[in-house]
């Protein structure tokens, strides 16, 4: 609580799905004026007694997403939450527009090699945008690219870029991340540029 007034933004990435309780997130939303960015990720996974994870739509998922300003999910998560029968872009676009009605200002559905699509509110209208994927030379590791995409997206939006430009920044950032494999690759960061 003492740190809340000092924060410009808060990124909630559901790595396990158990990072924060809904009640806590709702209390945080009431007090926090900055951006809340959310990667739905493992919020959509149940856990058996054996520890095995499986796809499961969380009860009250709409209330979870309503607490965020920025919601990111991949297409599998969107299909699950939206009860979609297809991963076709038109179905994903309609679902993303519907998520805006829950409260977020920006919604992004990542689609791997097919890029990403976004929905946002501007001038009291709901709008769509799409961003092609970036497959940089020397890409070798997709692990963590979704996490880096959200960080790049948040940085773009925080710096007053619109969603289309923020998605471009996020795509380039995730593309650079795909060139890094293992801890030893971190020394390559000095060589990487966002050109």
């Amino acid at each position: 609580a003492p740190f809340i007034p000092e924060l410009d933004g808060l990124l909630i990435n559901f790595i396990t799905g158990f990072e924060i309780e809904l009640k806590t997130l709702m209390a945080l939303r009431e007090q926090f004026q900055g951006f809340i960015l959310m990667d739905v990720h493992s919020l959509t996974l149940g856990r058996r007694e054996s520890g095995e994870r499986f796809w499961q739509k969380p009860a009250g998922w709409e209330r979870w997403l309503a607490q965020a300003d920025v919601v990111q999910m991949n297409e599998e998560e969107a299909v699950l939450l939206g009860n979609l029968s297809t991963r076709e872009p038109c179905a994903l676009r309609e679902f993303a527009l519907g998520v805006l009605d829950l409260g977020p200002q920006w919604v992004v559905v990542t689609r791997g090699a097919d890029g990403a699509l976004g929905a946002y509110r501007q001038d009291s209208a709901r709008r769509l945008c799409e961003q092609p994927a970036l497959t940089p030379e020397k890409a070798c590791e997709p692990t963590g690219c979704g996490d880096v995409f959200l960080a790049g997206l948040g940085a773009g939006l925080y710096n007053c870029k619109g969603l289309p430009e923020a998605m471009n920044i996020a795509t380039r950032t995730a593309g650079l991340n795909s060139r890094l494999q293992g801890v030893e690759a971190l020394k390559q960061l000095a060589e990487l540029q966002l050109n």
Side-chain angles (χ1 to χ4, degrees):
F3 300 107
I4 291 173
E6 305 299 320
L7 300 176
D8 297 317
L10 180 64
L11 191 150
I12 301 172
N13 189 355
F14 287 102
I15 301 296
T16 67
F18 310 110
E19 285 77 5
I20 190 170
E21 293 182 4
L22 179 58
K23 181 179 176 181
T24 304
L25 180 57
M26 292 173 74
L28 181 64
R29 173 78 284 177
E30 285 181 20
Q31 298 178 34
F32 188 55
Q33 300 303 311
F35 285 161
I36 294 181
L37 300 96
M38 178 186 294
D39 187 342
V40 172
H41 200 41
S42 293
L43 188 63
T44 58
L45 295 177
R47 185 170 62 179
R48 293 189 171 89
E49 286 184 25
S50 65
E52 180 184 2
R53 303 304 299 265
F54 60 95
W55 287 109
Q56 180 181 39
K57 183 190 301 191
W61 65 271
E62 299 94 335
R63 293 173 61 205
W64 283 95
L65 275 56
Q67 309 312 309
D69 300 291
V70 181
V71 173
Q72 174 180 301
M73 67 189 79
N74 65 37
E75 61 187 344
E76 291 87 3
E77 295 153 0
V79 166
L80 176 70
L81 294 178
N83 292 325
L84 306 179
S85 59
T86 178
R87 292 182 184 185
E88 289 298 317
C90 59
L92 295 170
R93 286 184 201 106
E94 286 303 312
F95 175 70
L97 287 169
V99 172
L100 290 176
D101 294 335
L102 300 175
Q105 186 169 341
W106 302 282
V107 177
V108 175
V109 178
T110 59
R111 305 185 63 228
D114 292 325
L117 59 91
Y120 60 104
R121 284 191 240 120
Q122 183 179 24
D123 303 325
S124 72
R126 297 181 310 163
R127 302 182 185 277
L128 293 164
C129 60
E130 297 196 30
Q131 176 66 41
L134 173 66
T135 307
E137 185 180 330
K138 300 180 185 176
C140 62
E141 180 58 66
T143 302
C145 287
D147 303 330
V148 172
F149 184 99
L150 183 59
L153 183 70
L157 292 171
Y158 180 75
N159 287 298
C160 301
K161 309 294 184 190
L163 185 61
E165 188 174 353
M167 285 174 61
N168 181 274
I169 292 167
T171 299
R172 293 184 318 183
T173 306
L176 292 175
N177 182 76
S178 73
R179 292 176 53 187
L180 305 175
Q181 186 174 31
V183 175
E184 286 299 312
L186 291 176
K187 60 187 168 189
Q188 296 175 28
L189 286 174
E191 304 167 15
L192 299 178
Q193 297 180 13
L194 287 175
N195 296 342

